Amino acid sequence: MTDTIPDTMPVWRRDSYGAADGTRLEQTPVPTPGRGQVLLRIRATALNAGDVRLMLGDPLLVRPFVGLTRPKNPVRGMDVAGTVVAVGPDVVGAEVGEEVIVELPGGGGLAGYACVAASRVVSMGRGLEPESAACLPIAGGTAWQALDVAGVGLTDRATPRVLIIGASGGVGVFAVQLAALRGAEVWASCGDRNAPLIEALGATRTLDHRTEPLEDLPAGRFDAIIDIAGGIPLRQLQRLLAPGGTAALVTGDGGHVMGPVPRMLKAAFLSIGSPRRIRSVAAVNRPEVLRKLLALAAEGRIVPVIEREYPFAEAPAALAHIEAGHTVGKIVVRGA
């Protein structure tokens, strides 16, 4: 480490499961990068619905993996943009002073500094502010992988018709843009007040499935469906698919105990022998996809939509905003 790195850093922690208002600011030692790791000074953290689920420990099914009675990692924030300020032994491909973005496994972004494996970081390059770049890893990566699961842009259909349910959230705004870039005719379900934004991002038509029921649409209307909002009966999704079509389930909705598992199992059962498949999306960290997203964003072909930026001192309010639901695009917390 260099002398410019302090001994301690501010960290927003919640040492037990619960709501955002239980998050507290503490001073803790700055971590030292281990073998194959880099130390980042965090410049911006984009929050996701997954951060809130980890904060609440919901569903209970995840707690054996993230902490049975309390979170193993008490610091939320997985998507960050930062500056490499130190490197551990055997680091290849990352240099001190480099601006990078990364998905921190399990969290740690609402802090002054964080250590992460050098193999996970992607150079930010030029053309993006850290607040915008931080929006890309989970939300952009999930949208990309959901479209792959649904086969959008991967088949010989000249202009596939795609329905995106929950189009105005963090994943949805990227799904709309990426589907349009892949040559799809995009139908997007969102609230009326968000329709102008979603149409500007590339949707051919917008509707609100809460006031315009999907059962009123003709059967076999879509080649692919990306379900981000959840709450739609699986048989209804299947009815809307054309033969050979696929619905990709992004949402983690479900009960407090098992979460989305029962819905995922039912989707797999309904897909057996059917020409209209329903598949669950298990998005994973893929640096090669993140590089493509960065290039598209730097060229202005996709635009990270930020509803609001919070200063570091107001990080609990940012978490509470996500917890309340109905976020348009992304919520970002600036660095300490």
Side-chain angles (χ1 to χ4, degrees):
M1 292 188 178
T2 68
D3 294 335
T4 59
I5 301 173
D7 293 329
T8 63
M9 64 178 182
V11 175
W12 285 102
R13 297 171 57 101
R14 201 188 197 296
D15 292 298
S16 60
Y17 292 117
D21 59 7
T23 306
R24 298 288 181 261
L25 185 63
E26 297 182 7
Q27 288 289 132
T28 64
V30 173
T32 300
R35 187 173 302 277
Q37 290 187 323
V38 297
L39 176 67
L40 303 181
R41 177 172 65 84
I42 296 173
R43 301 184 61 191
T45 300
L47 298 175
N48 298 278
D51 292 304
V52 168
R53 287 196 292 270
L54 287 172
M55 180 180 72
L56 299 173
D58 185 51
L60 296 179
L61 180 68
V62 306
R63 292 197 184 187
F65 307 98
V66 300
L68 196 59
T69 60
R70 61 179 59 195
K72 293 178 181 178
N73 186 340
V75 184
R76 302 280 57 84
M78 292 182 280
D79 283 354
V80 303
T83 305
V84 177
V85 293
V87 299
D90 300 331
V91 167
V92 176
E95 299 178 355
V96 171
E98 187 175 9
E99 303 292 331
V100 300
I101 58 174
V102 65
E103 175 190 337
L104 299 175
L110 295 180
Y113 295 81
C115 285
V116 66
S119 59
R120 298 180 70 94
V121 304
V122 173
S123 180
M124 194 187 309
R126 299 179 181 274
L128 282 182
E129 294 299 317
E131 292 79 10
S132 293
C135 295
L136 294 172
I138 290 179
T142 299
W144 184 291
Q145 292 174 62
L147 292 168
D148 282 353
V149 166
V152 178
L154 303 179
T155 69
D156 57 0
R157 294 180 188 268
T159 307
R161 182 180 290 130
V162 179
L163 173 63
I164 298 173
I165 304 171
S168 58
V171 175
V173 294
F174 285 116
V176 168
Q177 296 178 79
L178 292 169
L181 283 177
R182 294 187 184 197
E185 175 189 327
V186 180
W187 291 38
S189 177
C190 61
D192 288 341
R193 69 184 179 91
N194 299 322
L197 167 66
I198 300 307
E199 289 168 1
L201 294 177
T204 301
R205 177 179 168 181
T206 56
L207 61 135
D208 186 341
H209 71 267
R210 295 166 298 182
T211 57
E212 301 176 68
L214 296 181
E215 55 261 33
D216 292 346
L217 295 174
R221 188 71 168 173
F222 301 100
D223 300 301
I225 298 173
I226 310 297
D227 180 16
I228 305 165
I232 308 298
L234 295 178
R235 291 189 184 277
Q236 184 62 255
L237 296 179
Q238 207 165 35
R239 185 189 71 84
L240 291 171
L241 287 170
T246 300
L249 305 181
V250 175
T251 176
D253 66 344
H256 178 55
V257 177
M258 296 296 290
V261 172
R263 193 168 192 248
M264 294 165 61
L265 293 174
K266 184 176 180 181
F269 176 78
L270 290 176
S271 298
I272 296 173
S274 173
R276 299 169 178 85
R277 295 165 297 176
I278 308 174
R279 298 179 59 190
S280 300
V281 178
V284 296
N285 178 61
R286 292 177 57 187
E288 71 278 11
V289 168
L290 187 50
R291 292 186 185 93
K292 293 175 183 177
L293 291 167
L294 268 171
L296 290 172
E299 294 166 5
R301 300 178 68 191
I302 61 172
V303 179
V305 176
I306 300 175
E307 179 182 343
R308 184 172 173 182
E309 294 180 15
Y310 288 80
F312 185 79
E314 297 178 15
L319 284 167
H321 189 106
I322 299 284
E323 187 180 356
H326 309 297
T327 300
V328 178
K330 300 293 295 178
I331 296 297
V332 176
V333 177
R334 295 189 290 271

